[in-house]
Short mmCIF file of all heavy atoms in Angstrom, two decimals:
data_model
loop_
_atom_site.label_atom_id
_atom_site.label_comp_id
_atom_site.label_asym_id
_atom_site.label_seq_id
_atom_site.Cartn_x
_atom_site.Cartn_y
_atom_site.Cartn_z
N GLY Z 364 -40.17 -9.93 6.82
CA GLY Z 364 -39.31 -8.92 7.39
C GLY Z 364 -38.21 -8.59 6.45
O GLY Z 364 -37.43 -7.59 6.74
N TYR Z 365 -38.00 -9.29 5.35
CA TYR Z 365 -36.95 -8.96 4.38
C TYR Z 365 -37.59 -8.52 3.02
O TYR Z 365 -38.71 -8.95 2.65
CB TYR Z 365 -36.15 -10.25 4.07
CG TYR Z 365 -35.18 -10.58 5.25
CD1 TYR Z 365 -35.64 -11.44 6.20
CD2 TYR Z 365 -33.88 -10.08 5.29
CE1 TYR Z 365 -34.78 -11.82 7.22
CE2 TYR Z 365 -33.04 -10.39 6.34
CZ TYR Z 365 -33.46 -11.25 7.32
OH TYR Z 365 -32.62 -11.62 8.37
N VAL Z 366 -36.82 -7.62 2.32
CA VAL Z 366 -37.37 -7.07 1.05
C VAL Z 366 -36.25 -7.17 0.04
O VAL Z 366 -35.04 -7.15 0.38
CB VAL Z 366 -37.85 -5.70 1.17
CG1 VAL Z 366 -39.13 -5.60 2.05
CG2 VAL Z 366 -36.79 -4.79 1.66
N PHE Z 367 -36.62 -7.22 -1.22
CA PHE Z 367 -35.67 -7.09 -2.33
C PHE Z 367 -35.73 -5.72 -2.85
O PHE Z 367 -36.79 -5.13 -3.07
CB PHE Z 367 -35.99 -8.10 -3.48
CG PHE Z 367 -35.86 -9.52 -3.17
CD1 PHE Z 367 -36.99 -10.36 -3.36
CD2 PHE Z 367 -34.74 -10.03 -2.66
CE1 PHE Z 367 -36.83 -11.77 -3.11
CE2 PHE Z 367 -34.58 -11.34 -2.34
CZ PHE Z 367 -35.65 -12.24 -2.58
N ASN Z 368 -34.55 -5.13 -3.17
CA ASN Z 368 -34.43 -3.85 -3.87
C ASN Z 368 -34.22 -4.21 -5.31
O ASN Z 368 -33.11 -4.59 -5.73
CB ASN Z 368 -33.32 -3.01 -3.29
CG ASN Z 368 -33.32 -1.62 -3.91
OD1 ASN Z 368 -34.08 -1.27 -4.75
ND2 ASN Z 368 -32.43 -0.80 -3.35
N GLU Z 369 -35.22 -4.06 -6.17
CA GLU Z 369 -35.20 -4.67 -7.51
C GLU Z 369 -35.35 -3.61 -8.61
O GLU Z 369 -35.98 -2.57 -8.48
CB GLU Z 369 -36.27 -5.71 -7.66
CG GLU Z 369 -36.04 -6.98 -6.89
CD GLU Z 369 -36.98 -8.04 -7.26
OE1 GLU Z 369 -38.07 -7.80 -7.90
OE2 GLU Z 369 -36.68 -9.25 -7.03
N GLY Z 370 -34.78 -3.96 -9.76
CA GLY Z 370 -35.12 -3.34 -11.02
C GLY Z 370 -35.84 -4.35 -11.83
O GLY Z 370 -35.35 -5.49 -12.07
N ILE Z 371 -37.10 -4.05 -12.30
CA ILE Z 371 -38.00 -4.96 -12.93
C ILE Z 371 -38.29 -4.51 -14.35
O ILE Z 371 -38.67 -3.35 -14.58
CB ILE Z 371 -39.30 -5.10 -12.17
CG1 ILE Z 371 -39.10 -5.40 -10.72
CG2 ILE Z 371 -40.24 -6.10 -12.81
CD1 ILE Z 371 -40.28 -5.25 -9.81
N VAL Z 372 -38.08 -5.40 -15.34
CA VAL Z 372 -38.45 -5.10 -16.68
C VAL Z 372 -39.92 -5.25 -16.88
O VAL Z 372 -40.43 -6.35 -16.74
CB VAL Z 372 -37.64 -5.97 -17.68
CG1 VAL Z 372 -38.04 -5.65 -19.13
CG2 VAL Z 372 -36.12 -5.81 -17.50
N TRP Z 373 -40.64 -4.19 -17.16
CA TRP Z 373 -42.06 -4.20 -17.33
C TRP Z 373 -42.45 -3.97 -18.78
O TRP Z 373 -42.22 -2.91 -19.36
CB TRP Z 373 -42.66 -3.12 -16.48
CG TRP Z 373 -44.10 -3.40 -15.99
CD1 TRP Z 373 -45.20 -3.43 -16.77
CD2 TRP Z 373 -44.51 -3.69 -14.68
NE1 TRP Z 373 -46.31 -3.70 -16.00
CE2 TRP Z 373 -45.92 -3.85 -14.68
CE3 TRP Z 373 -43.86 -3.79 -13.40
CZ2 TRP Z 373 -46.67 -4.16 -13.55
CZ3 TRP Z 373 -44.58 -4.05 -12.29
CH2 TRP Z 373 -45.97 -4.20 -12.35
N ASP Z 374 -43.03 -5.02 -19.35
CA ASP Z 374 -43.40 -5.00 -20.77
C ASP Z 374 -44.83 -4.54 -20.94
O ASP Z 374 -45.70 -4.88 -20.16
CB ASP Z 374 -43.24 -6.35 -21.42
CG ASP Z 374 -43.38 -6.35 -22.94
OD1 ASP Z 374 -42.37 -6.19 -23.61
OD2 ASP Z 374 -44.49 -6.51 -23.43
N PRO Z 375 -45.11 -3.65 -22.01
CA PRO Z 375 -46.50 -3.20 -22.18
C PRO Z 375 -47.50 -4.25 -22.52
O PRO Z 375 -48.70 -4.10 -22.25
CB PRO Z 375 -46.35 -2.15 -23.38
CG PRO Z 375 -45.14 -2.54 -24.03
CD PRO Z 375 -44.21 -3.10 -23.00
#
Side-chain angles (χ1 to χ4, degrees):
Y365 287 91
V366 294
F367 293 127
N368 189 354
E369 288 193 341
I371 306 167
V372 180
W373 206 291
D374 189 88

